[in-house]
Amino acid sequence: MDITKIDGDYLENLLNRLVSQYYMNWDLLSNLFGVEEKKLRNYKQYEYELFENFEHWNLWTAKALILDYMSLDLPDFRFKSYLELLVDGYKISTKSIAKLANIDEEYIIDFLQDKSDIPIEARYKLGSCITQLIVILKNTTPTY
């Protein structure tokens, strides 16, 4: 695994990549990150000013890195991570999730165990249910 230095040059390239390769616009990124558009467009010019509020800088740069990384990971990996959060963190039983997704509980257990023979319809229903639950729970704290 290569180690990448996250410096001003990297972030400026990342922001430009989000616009040029992922077809996001500067206004969207500004709203998403809570940073003025002109400061994002000219990151190197405002680098030190943006870094002064380290907590905010850390939050928005993490979002930018996640956006860039999303194309590299597999959808099942993402959904499995969210499913584990729902089961382990929020203590929602697999039985409850199965009922909400209208699928057999066995499919959820198989999905958590990385079994690949889960029908596509069950995967779709589970993915939809996971997405809705995460949206509902986004402002609550898992109990771990």
Side-chain angles (χ1 to χ4, degrees):
M1 176 196 237
D2 294 336
I3 296 174
T4 303
K5 180 180 176 184
I6 308 296
D7 60 7
D9 291 331
Y10 183 88
L11 288 174
E12 187 172 62
N13 288 332
L14 170 60
L15 292 168
N16 287 316
R17 188 168 53 251
L18 291 174
V19 171
S20 65
Q21 293 178 16
Y22 294 105
Y23 307 103
M24 296 182 179
N25 63 54
W26 291 106
D27 187 50
L28 168 68
L29 295 177
S30 175
N31 288 330
L32 179 62
F33 301 152
V35 176
E36 291 177 51
E37 182 179 328
K38 74 175 184 175
K39 292 179 181 179
L40 290 176
R41 283 181 181 265
N42 303 293
Y43 179 79
K44 289 290 286 183
Q45 182 180 345
Y46 295 96
E47 179 177 15
Y48 294 107
E49 179 185 332
L50 291 169
F51 192 76
E52 284 176 357
N53 183 347
F54 179 74
E55 188 172 310
H56 183 251
W57 178 88
N58 194 36
L59 288 172
W60 75 261
T61 55
K63 287 179 184 178
L65 291 165
I66 290 168
L67 286 172
D68 192 36
Y69 178 74
M70 282 176 62
S71 67
L72 303 176
D73 69 1
L74 300 172
D76 279 358
F77 175 78
R78 260 183 263 150
F79 277 125
K80 182 181 176 195
S81 298
Y82 281 127
L83 182 57
E84 288 171 343
L85 174 65
L86 292 170
V87 172
D88 298 334
Y90 287 102
K91 308 297 186 217
I92 300 174
S93 70
T94 54
K95 186 177 279 191
S96 293
I97 295 170
K99 184 74 171 171
L100 292 167
N102 198 25
I103 60 174
D104 292 336
E105 183 182 13
E106 179 182 326
Y107 290 139
I108 294 173
I109 294 166
D110 288 349
F111 191 80
L112 286 168
Q113 296 173 349
D114 293 322
K115 294 188 179 172
S116 61
D117 59 344
I118 302 164
I120 193 71
E121 183 179 353
R123 286 178 183 271
Y124 176 80
K125 287 180 176 181
L126 179 58
S128 177
C129 179
I130 289 169
T131 302
Q132 289 175 339
L133 286 170
I134 291 297
V135 168
I136 290 168
L137 297 169
K138 74 177 184 177
N139 292 322
T140 61
T141 305
T143 57
Y144 285 106

